[in-house]
Amino acid sequence: MTLTIGVDVGGTKVAGGVVDDHGVVLAQTRRETPAEDPAGTRDTIVAVAAELAAAYPEAKAVGIGAAAWIDAAGATVLFAPNLAWRDEPVRDYVAKAVGLPTVLENDANVAAWAEFRYGAARQADDSMVMITVGTGIGGGIVINGGLWRGANGIAAELGHIQSVNDGHPCGCGRLGCLEQYASGNALVRFAQAGARQEPDRASLLLGLAGGDAGAISGRMITQAAQGGDGVARDAFAQIGYWLGVAMADLAQVFDPQVLVVGGGVIDAGELLMGPTERTYRDQLAQRGRFPVAEIRAAETGNTAGVLGAADLARHI
């Protein structure tokens, strides 16, 4: 039995766990992320990993998943939108401080790897594409049984595939990115607009928001949609449509064994997965003579970061 340590680094927390080679998390710990302090964040990772290594001295390596762009060598954080890291040599610092071989990877890649090894795509042996739907959209691609990182280490930015020509402005500088039409932020934007335009169909949603369309949140939209609110359900149908279109494009490009939808928005279940799958099948109707990847909801949930990072460490 090989034990490794996985560390999931986000804007608010650094979570760590000891994981065996069956994907069982044997121990966990977490600390707050000092997001504005680059050295402090780095040392928090060290503290989490060192605590777990002391409790399980048989652990062989450390894997780190971070919400950041990682260089091609997998050693340096080039940029982290929610942390103060800029060109930060995280991997080697942690390896030296903890005394264990260390791997550093983007958080969406780590989550995708967790799904490939232990989650919705665990029966696949060759390929998988995952889109993570949260506040924004991320992604991960597995080809020939391994993560595809691209020439510069920053592949699978699937949220920035263009969905609409000259569409809604995106934070990346482009117009019409998928992230602006299929993310949690897009869900809120669609619902707020719908509530203003058709308040009679949004009575439940507006009731939850105290009558203020601008106060509508993702949690309210899910609750209202589950209660039958027309505008809330329409908002899910809209992001599901764009997600299904993107999934069809990815199936055409990669022909993967499995397509996985992850991220916090999938907690809405059929409200999101239903329109996504229907659109996906409609878009690929002419491929009826050929097999196409099944779309599955992610299964590893909040443990994805720890699981994926720990398993990547096992393959150093």
Side-chain angles (χ1 to χ4, degrees):
M1 185 72 69
T2 302
L3 303 185
T4 51
I5 295 167
V7 182
D8 181 13
V9 184
T12 60
K13 65 172 176 58
V14 176
V18 177
V19 182
D20 70 17
D21 45 16
H22 297 297
V24 177
V25 181
L26 304 177
Q28 298 183 71
T29 189
R30 61 185 291 167
R31 302 189 182 193
E32 292 185 0
T33 306
E36 300 302 319
D37 179 0
T41 300
R42 188 180 59 192
D43 289 338
T44 299
I45 297 169
V46 170
V48 166
E51 176 187 333
L52 294 168
Y56 287 82
E58 63 270 42
K60 301 298 185 184
V62 176
I64 303 167
W69 283 272
I70 313 298
D71 72 343
T76 301
V77 173
L78 301 175
F79 176 79
N82 299 313
L83 301 169
W85 279 341
R86 304 293 185 270
D87 297 317
E88 190 75 23
V90 173
R91 183 192 67 187
D92 294 346
Y93 182 90
V94 173
K96 181 178 180 181
V98 180
L100 290 172
T102 299
V103 63
L104 174 67
E105 188 54 81
N106 168 267
D107 63 335
N109 281 349
V110 163
W113 188 251
E115 290 298 325
F116 183 70
R117 291 283 289 127
Y118 302 115
R122 62 185 175 275
Q123 294 177 343
D125 58 5
D126 174 73
S127 54
M128 180 205 74
V129 177
M130 177 173 172
I131 290 184
T132 57
V133 184
T135 302
I137 284 184
I141 299 168
V142 175
I143 294 177
N144 295 329
L147 275 176
W148 186 52
R149 303 184 71 247
N152 300 298
I154 53 175
E157 286 294 331
L158 304 181
H160 301 292
I161 296 170
Q162 190 181 60
S163 295
V164 179
N165 289 334
D166 297 324
H168 197 79
C170 183
C172 75
R174 302 184 75 196
L175 299 176
C177 288
L178 176 65
E179 186 166 291
Q180 299 305 313
Y181 294 89
S183 65
N185 280 344
L187 178 72
V188 171
R189 193 178 76 247
F190 288 140
Q192 289 178 344
R196 292 186 181 103
Q197 293 166 4
E198 299 181 274
D200 292 343
R201 295 185 65 241
S203 56
L204 180 54
L205 184 55
L206 285 169
L208 293 171
D212 180 6
I216 290 171
S217 68
R219 190 179 300 275
M220 293 175 191
I221 299 165
T222 300
Q223 184 178 344
Q226 289 169 340
D229 185 276
V231 165
R233 295 182 74 89
D234 284 352
F236 274 109
Q238 287 181 81
I239 70 166
Y241 170 80
W242 290 112
L243 190 59
V245 171
M247 288 287 192
D249 289 343
L250 293 169
Q252 300 277 20
V253 174
F254 293 105
D255 188 26
Q257 289 174 294
V258 183
L259 288 160
V260 177
V261 182
V265 178
I266 67 161
D267 290 344
E270 184 64 18
L271 289 168
L272 175 65
M273 297 301 292
T276 298
E277 292 178 2
R278 286 192 294 274
T279 301
Y280 173 72
R281 296 295 173 185
D282 288 346
Q283 292 281 312
L284 296 178
Q286 299 307 313
R287 284 195 59 177
R289 296 183 180 181
F290 307 100
V292 295
E294 180 183 349
I295 296 180
R296 299 177 187 165
E299 297 178 0
T300 56
N302 292 332
T303 65
V306 167
L307 279 176
D311 196 69
L312 286 170
R314 192 168 288 113
H315 295 85
I316 292 177

